[in-house]
Amino acid sequence: MSLEDPQDQRGAQEGELVGVTDEGVDYDALEALLGDHVIGRESHVNAEAFVIRPDEVQDVLFALRDEAGFDHCSAVTAQEYEDRYESIYHLKKYDDPTQEVGVVVPTSKRAPRSQSAEPVYRTADWHEREAYDLIGIDYDEHPDLRRILLPETWQGHPMGLDYNQDQPQVVTFESHTNPLAEDQEDDESDTMFINIGPHHPATHGVLHLKTVLDGEQVADVKPDIGYLHRCEEQMAQSGKYRKEIMPYPDRWDYSSAGILNEWSYARAAEDLADLEVPEYAQVIRTMAAELSRMAGHMLAVGTFALDVYGDFTAIFQYAFRDREKILNLLEDLTGQRLMFNYLRLGGVAWDLPEPREEYFDKIRDFLDELPATVEEYHNLLSSNEIFQIRCVDTGVLEPDVAKSHGATGPVARGSGIDYDLRRDDPYGYYPELDWNVITEDGCDNYARVLCRLQEVEQSARIIEQCVDLLAEWPEEDREIQSNVPRTLRPDEDAEIYRAVEAAKGELGIYIRSDGTDKPARFKIRSPCFSNLQTLPEMAEGEYVPDMVASLGSLDIILGEVDR
Amino acid sequence: MGAFETVVLQSGSGSGSAEGAPLTDTIGGLLGFGSNMGPGETLVAAFIGAFFIGNLMLAMTGVAGPWAKRKITAAFTDRIAVNRVGPFGLLIIVADAVRLLSKELVVPDGVDRPAWDIAPILMAGSAMLGFAVIPMGNGIQLADPETGLVYVFAVSSLASLGLVTAGYASNNKYSLLGGLRSIAQNIAYEIPLVVTAASVVIFAGTLRLSEIVAAQTEPLITIVGVSIPSWYAFVNPFAFVLFMAANLAEVGRNPFDIPEAPTEIVAGYQTEYSSVYFVLMYLGEFLHIFLGGAIIATIFLGGPAGPVLPGIIWFIIKIWAVFLFTQWMRSAIPRVRIDQLIEIGWKGMLVLSFANLVLTAVIVGLIA
């Protein structure tokens, strides 16, 4: 039960959000807001968390959303303990993501049932399906509680404690239905069911869109994911913190954005284990991360052009040509072109390549060419009239819809949501540097492309400043790694959710430590996973080509969606 | 040997003129059939001529499809393209031919069998038929009927039939969508195409292709000794631009490559075709580009006319220029959406082409 006397403070400040103070979130006020709903309180490293009853989820979340302003459900983490199941809703605010709160929903071991949060946050739809799929919690009132990553026929929930990994998954041929067999033929209607993907030129990997077409228009589309599920969470849980987890993040968003992914794990683990990162290493990280972001955005713009232009046209090749240059720079730095494995807990793997001056010159040469390159993109792409009639006002994503679906990154910023963790939840060396967050108000495919193109320029500004800093850095101060214990054992039952701004948006990591040298629960909040959920909103009622363009403008990487 | 030389001389002197001996007669003369050939002799001569022209076009397609297309696109997109097999990668043509022909012909379940087989043949064949009446210079013209222009448009639009047959017979929803799209597109663009060509007919006063070519030989204006011929591209540039745009849609190249649209409907009507049938489809597509080029060269660019080089060379240069143009568009221009395409066709091109036709008629009526 509530530890404190539930004083009724509700309605004291009409129109103002509860729990907002100058120092951050006033958790006591929030607890008072929730009153009897709160049956306990936990302290996570990132925020306080309230424990609530499983049948009061919606009441609590509605109160937190409408009266305390927590409009961003970052992620839903589910896990199984010896004595209970637990779903954690990580809530944030789009205005200020440092204001966080966790909502912990324990459910009984025998019948893990919990109320769905889908009516409050649309993004909970997929997150809860994943929790059901991998952990085995049932969500009441969920509109569509099916497996999401694993096949429908899978037996058991593989991240549960008593799951037998050696149990064969016997699936008879009959039960493993061919999607074509149950063809949704309906004599009454004129619609046509069509499978777009998993093998299709425009799905950017193995994504399956179950589409119902009315003529050429999309009547209904249901993304079906999981074809690239590689148990990344499970693998992270079986690796030791210090070195065995870091190679995996490179494989989530494999569009050369690896450094950003590594940083998400590094940031979470460093905060969890209370590790310092030397300033010099932070500058290197910032520079490398922005190089990664540029490469990722070039790929995004190039493949989007591929989707709209329809062929491997000039703009696609130019984007790839310029991405190669970035990969060369990253190769010099990390020794790898894609799977960098460059960050370490407490710093980076090694210093800049020698001779340093030569490396700086290389980066500066690249940055000097960049304005002309971006200009070329604008000439070929954004100022092309046909491109404009294809992209302006297609794939419209309204800001409140985007927020409800937990969209982040260029997808959110293209809808005018001013949300960038680099500025709003500062980490690395970003606060010391001079750069801008780009937003576009178009809410359409065009706005998202413009957003990415401008972000490339902002990344260039950041890199330029980092290079200047690194060039000036006194030789005796070049500490690339702090002292990190050989075996890292964070405190028992410490829990943290930390996110960084990856190329696609908010890439968050939840870690629960059980006092050993491996995480007890490792959850990845992938930006693509949430962003992809907005596709039906953008595509329904539009033409097939616009749906393809919208999908391209979301810039999903299936490796990160499926993990 | 003497007879052969005479023939070459004859055909050389006849280039570009309406009286130029048709290829059949030339071949008949070459074979010693005499000037009055019987039906059997005409047939043999015609077959030989068709064989010659067909192979010329197929050879050009063979160069264009596996090699030139790659090289051209690569040049537009900062790449190198094929360069390992043979000089400039030219032997890739052989390698590709062997590769494509040795692949398994996959016949999906439930295809509508005769229709599915006919479609690729129809597509390649319809384009080949069109070349029969094109005057290529040096007397290379298989037949010169009075209604040559109508014939060309008639046979080349047979390809639409092939597209929709392929789309429907494949038992694949993507193919079906592609077939429907191609029909919608071809109807929307063939009318402006034909109407624009009709404006040329008003100028020339004839549908006979050799006469249209002959009408373009007079100089339009002479500036400092350089005379610009009265090619209809110069006489009526507006019609030329319209025709080029409509032709892009007709041959299905960007921005009008909607029936294929790989990123939307995979490859449209040709999704289910493999091996030889795919080659035929692909061949048909390239033959159509060349046929489009040949029509453009004939009715807008003076046919085989040109200085110094023999007519046939000029003719080939001109149709390759059109081919280059389609590849340029393909490398640089985004694809429009199907509804936008129909809108451009019916609300834009159609109106413009009729305006052009009426204006031409008025001008010609006033002058003549």
Side-chain angles (χ1 to χ4, degrees):
Chain A
M1 289 308 292
S2 165
L3 296 173
E4 289 176 30
D5 195 21
Q7 296 257 320
D8 192 19
Q9 293 177 353
R10 215 182 304 185
Q13 301 139 312
E14 197 59 45
E16 284 196 24
L17 300 174
V18 178
V20 181
T21 62
D22 293 338
E23 289 88 48
V25 186
D26 180 358
Y27 291 105
D28 294 334
L30 288 182
E31 188 169 342
L33 169 73
L34 300 177
D36 283 343
H37 293 308
V38 178
I39 54 173
R41 199 160 144 174
E42 290 178 5
S43 279
H44 296 174
V45 179
N46 57 317
E48 294 284 297
F50 300 114
V51 183
I52 61 165
R53 297 169 51 83
D55 53 353
E56 291 171 348
V57 174
Q58 286 175 13
D59 290 344
V60 169
L61 293 183
F62 269 126
L64 286 172
R65 187 191 76 180
D66 296 336
E67 289 175 55
F70 287 97
D71 53 356
H72 179 29
C73 179
S74 268
V76 181
T77 305
Q79 52 189 329
E80 186 180 359
Y81 287 87
E82 290 300 332
D83 60 338
R84 65 181 189 280
Y85 285 91
E86 198 175 273
S87 318
I88 308 174
Y89 296 86
H90 304 283
L91 306 184
K92 284 186 178 187
K93 295 180 182 177
Y94 272 104
D95 290 339
D96 179 6
T98 55
Q99 297 187 21
E100 292 178 63
V101 67
V103 174
V104 178
V105 189
T107 49
S108 79
K109 191 88 177 174
R110 292 186 56 192
R113 298 193 79 80
S114 174
Q115 200 179 25
S116 168
E118 197 272 344
V120 194
Y121 303 105
R122 303 272 300 276
T123 184
D125 182 353
W126 279 21
H127 283 283
E128 286 175 351
R129 276 177 68 189
E130 185 186 318
Y132 162 74
D133 191 359
L134 299 181
I135 313 288
I137 301 175
D138 281 321
Y139 290 92
D140 288 332
E141 297 169 46
H142 190 284
D144 184 24
L145 196 64
R146 287 177 293 125
R147 289 187 181 275
I148 187 165
L149 295 177
L150 303 177
E152 289 283 317
T153 53
W154 199 267
Q155 292 152 24
H157 302 279
M159 290 187 86
L161 289 182
D162 53 358
Y163 179 74
N164 176 13
Q165 299 207 6
D166 299 326
Q167 170 202 356
Q169 291 288 330
V170 181
V171 178
T172 58
F173 185 71
E174 285 74 24
S175 67
H176 196 86
T177 46
N178 172 1
L180 286 174
E182 42 152 352
D183 199 354
Q184 306 178 357
E185 253 175 49
D186 183 359
D187 295 336
E188 301 284 299
S189 76
D190 314 332
T191 56
M192 172 165 92
F193 176 81
I194 191 164
N195 288 302
I196 298 184
H199 304 293
H200 186 278
T203 51
H204 293 226
V206 274
L207 170 68
H208 177 195
L209 300 175
K210 294 177 178 167
T211 317
V212 178
L213 294 184
D214 182 6
E216 278 266 356
Q217 277 162 318
V218 178
D220 184 31
V221 57
K222 285 200 179 66
D224 173 22
I225 63 171
Y227 291 90
L228 207 53
H229 179 55
R230 293 152 301 162
C231 322
E232 291 284 349
E233 293 179 1
Q234 185 91 61
M235 286 199 286
Q237 276 168 222
S238 48
K240 292 176 186 161
Y241 288 104
R242 176 88 195 274
K243 284 194 170 149
E244 291 177 2
I245 296 177
M246 196 54 95
Y248 288 114
D250 287 322
R251 274 99 181 145
W252 303 340
D253 174 357
Y254 42 65
S255 71
S256 61
I259 302 269
L260 298 154
N261 305 350
E262 290 171 24
W263 205 342
S264 71
Y265 167 62
R267 188 177 184 210
E270 281 156 7
D271 284 1
L272 182 70
D274 209 10
L275 301 174
E276 287 293 318
V277 182
E279 213 165 301
Y280 180 67
Q282 291 284 32
V283 180
I284 298 182
R285 277 184 179 187
T286 308
M287 182 188 77
E290 289 309 308
L291 282 171
S292 264
R293 186 185 315 278
M294 274 168 107
H297 279 355
M298 297 248 177
L299 183 114
V301 170
T303 50
F304 179 66
L306 174 64
D307 287 340
V308 174
Y309 279 55
D311 271 309
F312 290 94
T313 51
I315 179 68
F316 172 81
Q317 298 290 354
Y318 290 178
F320 263 67
R321 177 196 65 194
D322 298 319
R323 179 171 166 272
E324 284 301 301
K325 294 177 187 166
I326 304 170
L327 292 191
N328 288 341
L329 293 174
L330 282 168
E331 185 182 9
D332 287 347
L333 179 66
T334 66
Q336 278 281 358
R337 291 176 77 80
L338 215 54
M339 302 297 157
F340 306 110
N341 192 14
Y342 178 61
L343 266 52
R344 295 286 179 272
L345 298 189
V348 294
W350 46 71
D351 203 349
L352 300 175
E354 295 289 344
R356 292 164 64 93
E357 281 311 313
E358 202 177 291
Y359 186 60
F360 293 141
D361 286 345
K362 264 192 196 172
I363 298 183
R364 286 195 179 114
D365 286 348
F366 169 72
L367 293 179
D368 288 344
E369 289 170 16
L370 194 76
T373 311
V374 175
E375 185 63 36
E376 190 177 30
Y377 291 179
H378 279 298
N379 286 342
L380 269 168
L381 203 66
S382 53
S383 52
N384 184 319
E385 254 177 70
I386 301 180
F387 185 80
Q388 287 176 4
I389 60 171
R390 280 297 311 278
C391 296
V392 174
D393 283 337
T394 61
V396 176
L397 183 65
E398 297 297 339
D400 49 335
V401 178
K403 283 183 178 177
S404 181
H405 280 96
T408 50
V411 176
R413 291 193 285 272
S415 290
I417 300 170
D418 193 8
Y419 180 78
D420 190 323
L421 292 176
R422 291 175 288 174
R423 179 200 61 196
D424 299 337
D425 182 13
Y427 60 95
Y429 212 73
Y430 292 111
E432 323 294 325
L433 304 173
D434 182 25
W435 57 283
N436 297 326
V437 175
I438 303 293
T439 54
E440 285 284 336
D441 293 329
C443 306
D444 51 13
N445 293 337
Y446 192 63
R448 290 187 275 276
V449 172
L450 285 188
C451 214
R452 293 203 176 90
L453 281 174
Q454 293 173 68
E455 277 181 23
V456 166
E457 291 172 316
Q458 294 301 326
S459 293
R461 277 178 73 186
I462 297 175
I463 295 167
E464 203 166 10
Q465 295 169 54
C466 288
V467 169
D468 290 344
L469 281 168
L470 290 170
E472 302 284 301
W473 212 274
E475 199 163 345
E476 60 279 7
D477 267 2
R478 291 181 194 157
E479 193 192 346
I480 54 160
Q481 243 184 351
S482 60
N483 267 334
V484 178
R486 188 168 290 273
T487 315
L488 216 52
R489 288 199 180 81
D491 300 333
E492 195 172 344
D493 282 331
E495 294 177 49
I496 188 170
Y497 173 78
R498 270 278 183 266
V500 299
E501 185 72 25
K504 321 302 188 224
E506 175 183 339
L507 178 57
I509 304 292
Y510 166 88
I511 302 177
R512 176 170 64 88
S513 156
D514 57 359
T516 65
D517 54 359
K518 294 174 184 171
R521 178 77 173 98
F522 189 98
K523 155 87 185 168
I524 307 157
R525 188 270 181 202
S526 129
C528 294
F529 184 79
S530 298
N531 289 351
L532 181 58
Q533 282 188 72
T534 63
L535 181 68
E537 295 284 345
M538 295 154 76
E540 277 165 23
E542 302 264 11
Y543 284 88
V544 180
D546 286 341
M547 181 179 77
V548 167
S550 301
L551 182 64
S553 79
L554 285 177
D555 185 23
I556 50 159
I557 299 291
L558 268 301
E560 194 179 78
V561 174
D562 296 344
R563 287 152 289 141
Chain B
M1 260 335 259
F4 179 69
E5 274 163 21
T6 334
V7 166
V8 172
L9 279 176
Q10 268 177 5
S11 59
S13 62
S15 83
S17 93
E19 287 80 38
L23 190 62
T24 323
D25 294 347
T26 317
I27 292 168
L30 200 62
L31 295 172
F33 288 157
S35 56
N36 288 318
M37 290 190 287
E41 287 169 334
T42 311
L43 192 69
V44 171
F47 267 121
I48 293 173
F51 181 79
F52 170 68
I53 289 180
N55 273 310
L56 177 70
M57 290 305 143
L58 284 176
M60 275 171 37
T61 315
V63 174
W67 185 78
K69 177 193 154 168
R70 288 178 183 170
K71 282 292 193 189
I72 294 168
T73 314
F76 278 119
T77 58
D78 256 11
R79 289 181 294 118
I80 297 168
V82 283
N83 67 343
R84 294 302 165 98
V85 200
F88 308 108
L90 265 171
L91 289 182
I92 195 77
I93 298 167
V94 182
D96 263 0
V98 172
R99 177 174 64 86
L100 284 167
L101 295 179
S102 60
K103 283 195 170 175
E104 184 192 355
L105 179 65
V106 181
V107 183
D109 270 353
V111 296
D112 193 345
R113 202 53 206 273
W116 194 72
D117 299 309
I118 290 167
I121 299 164
L122 199 59
M123 285 176 62
S126 67
M128 289 295 281
L129 285 177
F131 288 105
V133 296
I134 304 283
M136 304 185 188
N138 301 77
I140 303 175
Q141 185 182 17
L142 210 52
D144 193 13
E146 228 170 275
T147 53
L149 194 61
V150 175
Y151 166 82
V152 170
F153 284 122
V155 292
S156 78
S157 58
L158 275 182
S160 314
L161 203 59
L163 293 178
V164 81
T165 312
Y168 130 81
S170 290
N171 189 27
N172 177 320
K173 290 167 181 170
Y174 288 113
S175 301
L176 185 66
L177 279 177
L180 293 177
R181 280 178 173 201
S182 73
I183 270 303
Q185 169 169 340
N186 280 340
I187 292 174
Y189 282 82
E190 242 161 50
I191 299 173
L193 196 76
V194 174
V195 170
T196 312
S199 76
V200 169
V201 175
I202 292 180
F203 271 121
T206 174
L207 286 166
R208 197 190 285 271
L209 287 175
S210 59
E211 284 173 17
I212 292 179
V213 168
Q216 298 179 57
T217 46
E218 279 113 62
L220 186 65
I221 28 169
T222 309
I223 308 165
V224 253
V226 182
S227 75
I228 294 174
S230 62
W231 292 357
Y232 290 125
F234 300 137
V235 175
N236 190 355
F238 181 66
F240 179 61
V241 171
L242 260 182
F243 197 88
M244 286 292 268
N247 184 58
L248 275 181
E250 179 70 14
V251 300
R253 276 287 175 265
N254 283 26
F256 309 119
D257 69 332
I258 291 184
E260 287 173 49
T263 53
E264 294 157 22
I265 51 171
V266 192
Y269 56 87
Q270 57 181 351
T271 306
E272 295 291 359
Y273 285 93
S274 53
S275 186
V276 181
Y277 281 177
F278 172 76
V279 175
L280 281 174
M281 287 268 183
Y282 206 61
L283 199 70
E285 209 173 284
F286 276 86
L287 281 173
H288 264 279
I289 297 177
F290 281 126
L291 181 62
I295 298 173
I296 288 171
T298 307
I299 67 177
F300 282 107
L301 301 175
V308 189
L309 295 172
I312 178 75
I313 304 291
W314 272 112
F315 181 76
I316 289 174
I317 289 175
K318 282 170 190 171
I319 62 179
W320 273 85
V322 175
F323 175 71
L324 189 68
F325 175 74
T326 62
Q327 291 303 311
W328 178 18
M329 291 296 117
R330 188 182 172 279
S331 301
I333 303 284
R335 177 198 301 138
V336 295
R337 210 168 52 211
I338 178 77
D339 60 314
Q340 292 165 343
L341 174 114
I342 301 296
E343 203 171 299
I344 296 169
W346 287 109
K347 292 190 188 163
M349 305 273 291
L350 188 69
V351 177
L352 288 176
S353 62
F354 270 110
N356 171 53
L357 182 73
V358 171
L359 269 179
T360 313
V362 168
I363 291 170
V364 170
L366 285 178
I367 294 172

